Amino acid sequence: MPRSSATSHELARIELLAGLPGETLAKLAKEMERQEVAPGSAIVREGEPGDRFYVVFAGMLSVTNAIGRRGILRPGDYFGEVALAMDVPRTATVTAISPAVVASCDRATFDAYLRPLFADAG
């Protein structure tokens, strides 16, 4: 049976999260919801309200916006932080290119554990 949450080991492989204390990673992992995504499926769409933060565990994802293609996300990457950190609509559409596995957390979890990681980024 597939796990419904992430593991702290998986989260530690995400560069952004690797420096978090083990106890914090363990708490965050319990809050993360794992999702398998079929090729061609959009995970988030540009312009929609942002309510979740995502990390990529497996597969490849395409990032596009109204201007065109912006890039590729691979295992270890993350997305969704702009909408949550800045309280703006989604700035891009993220679509699975291959079968993918992502994990996500809601805004409250992002605020509690992850927002401080972005405080110095802007």
Side-chain angles (χ1 to χ4, degrees), residues 40-50 54 64-65 79 83 89-95:
S41 298
I43 301 169
V44 300
R45 295 185 189 281
E46 183 178 6
E48 291 182 347
Y54 295 84
T64 58
N65 65 11
F79 60 98
R90 295 286 184 201
T91 58
T93 298
V94 178
T95 306

Side-chain angles (χ1 to χ4, degrees), residues 73-88:
L73 297 174
R74 294 177 173 82
D77 290 333
Y78 58 89
F79 60 98
E81 76 284 359
V82 173
L84 294 175
M86 300 179 71
D87 201 23
V88 296

Side-chain angles (χ1 to χ4, degrees), residues 12-112:
R13 292 190 306 222
I14 307 297
E15 185 177 346
L16 172 72
L17 308 177
L20 292 174
E23 183 179 312
T24 302
L25 278 177
K27 290 176 183 175
L28 179 59
K30 290 178 185 170
E31 299 296 326
M32 299 288 283
E33 183 178 305
R34 176 185 301 273
Q35 175 184 355
E36 293 185 14
V37 185
S41 298
I43 301 169
V44 300
R45 295 185 189 281
E46 183 178 6
E48 291 182 347
D51 61 350
R52 298 190 76 77
F53 169 78
Y54 295 84
V55 295
V56 182
F57 287 154
M60 291 179 58
L61 309 171
S62 169
V63 181
T64 58
N65 65 11
I67 300 168
R69 188 170 177 172
R70 300 206 35 209
I72 300 290
L73 297 174
R74 294 177 173 82
D77 290 333
Y78 58 89
F79 60 98
E81 76 284 359
V82 173
L84 294 175
M86 300 179 71
D87 201 23
V88 296
R90 295 286 184 201
T91 58
T93 298
V94 178
T95 306
I97 297 172
S98 67
V101 178
V102 299
S104 66
C105 66
D106 62 18
R107 181 181 294 272
T109 302
F110 177 86
D111 287 347

